[in-house]
Amino acid sequence: LSSNLLTGEIPPSVTSAQQTLKSLYLSDNKLQGQIPTELCGLYKLEDLFIDTNDFSGSLPTCLGSLSNLKKLYAFKNRFTGDVPSVLLNLPDLVEVGIEENDLTGGVNQVCAWGRGLSIWADCSELDDGCDCCERCCSDLDSSC
């Protein structure tokens, strides 16, 4: 469903696919609003790509219940607040893209755990920085 000029919000009925859905690609659309907590019911989800939209609010803590999640791309939105540590502590999570948002912290807790997690973030905007980010992005860095 990426790059289809989809508009509006993610419908709560998305959980009707909870038995089978392993990947949800909603990148590069015009989706907006907050991420519905119903999305956390997609317990088989491995890839969640919600980047390059107009989502706002915080990243739901309940995303930490997606125990099979491997990749989360949430960059280029308007997310605010801390990144939930329970999300970043998922055992299979290997890639997280959260740059170009208004996130303010929560990443350095993961750095202390010493996991092999690739994080792309706006390190200068995070209150506690990001000592373990693979790539620190900024408005001046067009490579992110």
Side-chain angles (χ1 to χ4, degrees):
L1 298 173
S2 293
S3 303
N4 275 300
L5 300 176
L6 299 175
T7 59
E9 298 181 353
I10 298 175
S13 60
V14 72
T15 57
S16 63
Q18 68 181 357
Q19 302 279 329
T20 57
L21 193 63
K22 289 188 175 185
S23 300
L24 183 57
Y25 300 114
L26 296 173
S27 302
D28 195 26
N29 282 296
K30 297 179 184 296
L31 296 169
Q32 59 190 16
Q34 296 188 352
I35 301 299
T37 56
E38 289 85 357
L39 193 71
C40 302
L42 298 173
Y43 60 88
K44 291 190 175 188
L45 206 59
E46 295 178 2
D47 298 330
L48 178 57
F49 291 15
I50 53 176
D51 59 277
T52 319
N53 279 288
D54 197 28
F55 292 119
S56 58
S58 60
L59 288 169
T61 302
C62 68
L63 289 175
S65 68
L66 298 174
S67 59
N68 295 312
L69 196 63
K70 295 178 179 165
K71 296 179 184 178
L72 171 65
Y73 293 172
F75 55 89
K76 289 188 181 178
N77 281 289
R78 293 183 302 122
F79 292 117
T80 57
D82 286 354
V83 180
S85 60
V86 66
L87 169 62
L88 295 176
N89 197 30
L90 287 170
D92 293 332
L93 193 63
V94 293
E95 291 180 17
V96 177
I98 53 173
E99 69 274 16
E100 295 187 50
N101 281 291
D102 294 316
L103 297 166
T104 54
V107 177
N108 258 349
Q109 287 178 312
V110 178
C111 297
W113 299 329
R115 318 189 23 218
L117 178 61
S118 295
I119 302 174
W120 290 15
D122 300 319
C123 304
S124 62
E125 292 180 11
L126 297 172
D127 292 342
D128 52 359
C130 184
D131 296 336
C132 65
C133 283
E134 180 174 313
R135 179 170 289 167
C136 286
C137 305
S138 72
D139 293 335
L140 302 175
D141 184 359
S142 61
S143 66
C144 287

